[in-house]
């Protein structure tokens, strides 16, 4: 017998896109149940999944056995089951907000050609943790690890608007800032879904920021576009729309189910 057996490893599996049709069909039916606004009758699920009622029923029976679907005994309608909830929660626990946000930030910098960064909330205030250069280099001392001013940066304004009010009041009091004076501004940020600054932090630099929210509608981090171009803060514009969409996609990945604050036509109040 070999005294030092060779460790066993799973062999790489060659890509095979054929899959298993029955599993694909079950996933399609489960997706029809998940995408519905609430419990649905068999006929509706069958129509949404493109199957006959009898075929859909057989799959639903199997999905019920696995706890992925449940049936209301009084109405006979179907909804997601406890196992589906556990799967969703497990997926969310594996989601890192900064990792999610940085993928969108990298795409934003590439799509818009504008510098983009990710900020988190720290004990000292908003802190930059990821930075992606645009096509035009920006002359600034800010970078990864920099702490931004709360009310003079767009990222800071987003945190101030979306973090719990009691936390903001105590933090601002400790830093000699008046919460009451800023409340109208923060209300407008919440209403429009983003904040912007035009030279308040650094002369000649404009910033626009959006929140990345989780399943509890709590802000986890922010995405910010930064540019010397005055067009960045002339709303609406293409870069701002890309930013809003990226913030919403990142939030959805973290489980957020809200409508989001998309500005479509009117110019935003100064933030």
């Amino acid at each position: 017998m070999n005294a030092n057996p060779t460790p066993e490893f799973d062999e790489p599996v060659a890509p095979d896109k054929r899959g298993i049709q029955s599993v694909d069909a079950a996933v399609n039916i489960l997706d029809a149940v998940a995408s519905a606004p609430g419990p649905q009758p068999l006929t509706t699920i069958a129509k949404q999944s493109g199957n006959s009622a009898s075929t859909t029923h057989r799959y639903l029976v199997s999905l019920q056995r696995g706890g992925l679907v449940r049936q209301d005994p009084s109405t006979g309608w179907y909804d997601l089951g406890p196992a589906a909830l556990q799967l969703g929660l497990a997926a969310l626990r594996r989601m890192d907000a900064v990792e999610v946000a940085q993928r969108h930030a990298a795409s934003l910098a590439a799509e818009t050609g504008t510098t983009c960064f990710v900020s988190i909330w720290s004990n000292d205030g908003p802190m930059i943790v990821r930075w992606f250069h645009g096509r035009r280099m920006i002359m600034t001392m800010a970078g990864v690890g920099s702490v931004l001013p709360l009310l003079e940066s767009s990222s800071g304004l987003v945190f101030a608007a979306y973090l719990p009010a009691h936390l903001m009041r105590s933090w601002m009091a400790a830093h000699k800032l008046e919460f009451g004076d800023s409340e109208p501004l923060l209300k407008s940020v919440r209403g429009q879904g983003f904040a912007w600054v035009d030279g308040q932090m650094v002369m000649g630099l404009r910033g626009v920021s959006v929140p990345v929210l989780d399943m509890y509608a709590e802000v986890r981090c922010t995405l910010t576009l930064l540019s010397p171009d005055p067009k960045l803060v002339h709303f609406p514009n293409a870069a701002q729309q890309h930013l809003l969409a990226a913030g919403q996609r990142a939030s959805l990945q973290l489980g957020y189910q809200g409508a989001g604050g998309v500005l479509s036509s009117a110019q935003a109040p100064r933030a």
Side-chain angles (χ1 to χ4, degrees), residues 97-113:
V98 172
E99 181 181 344
V100 169
Q102 75 173 4
R103 291 199 294 268
H104 291 282
S107 296
L108 276 169
E111 291 170 359
T112 66

Side-chain angles (χ1 to χ4, degrees), residues 206-267:
R206 288 88 185 172
V208 184
S209 299
V210 296
V212 175
L213 307 172
D214 63 15
M215 64 184 298
Y216 304 108
E218 295 178 352
V219 59
R220 299 288 299 278
C221 56
T222 65
L223 288 169
T224 300
L225 289 177
L226 189 67
S227 174
D229 189 348
K231 293 179 181 178
L232 182 65
V233 292
H234 292 170
F235 306 114
N237 62 67
Q240 173 230 12
Q241 295 298 322
H242 279 295
L243 177 63
L244 286 166
Q248 290 174 358
R249 288 194 299 270
S251 298
L252 286 172
Q253 286 182 259
L254 296 179
Y256 179 63
Q257 295 297 312
V262 178
L263 182 72
S264 57
S265 58
Q267 182 169 332

Side-chain angles (χ1 to χ4, degrees), residues 110-225:
E111 291 170 359
T112 66
T114 304
T115 294
C116 186
F117 62 82
V118 179
S119 301
I120 62 170
W121 181 256
S122 72
N123 289 336
D124 296 320
M127 178 184 290
I128 299 173
V129 292
R130 298 288 189 276
W131 184 285
F132 299 91
H133 292 288
R135 288 189 289 270
R136 181 177 178 182
M137 293 295 292
I138 293 177
M139 301 301 294
T140 176
M141 296 297 290
V144 173
S146 297
V147 176
L148 303 172
L150 186 71
L151 301 179
E152 288 78 36
S153 68
S154 57
S155 181
L157 287 169
V158 168
F159 279 114
Y162 283 88
L163 284 170
H166 70 275
L167 187 155
M168 274 294 95
R169 285 192 180 93
S170 60
W171 190 93
M172 292 176 74
H175 290 77
K176 313 301 182 185
L177 298 173
E178 292 292 334
F179 182 84
D181 294 344
S182 60
E183 181 53 28
L185 177 59
L186 302 183
K187 185 177 179 180
S188 73
V189 171
R190 289 189 293 270
Q192 64 199 18
F194 70 96
W196 62 283
V197 293
D198 186 354
Q200 284 92 324
M201 191 178 83
V202 178
M203 183 68 69
L205 277 185
R206 288 88 185 172
V208 184
S209 299
V210 296
V212 175
L213 307 172
D214 63 15
M215 64 184 298
Y216 304 108
E218 295 178 352
V219 59
R220 299 288 299 278
C221 56
T222 65
L223 288 169
T224 300
L225 289 177

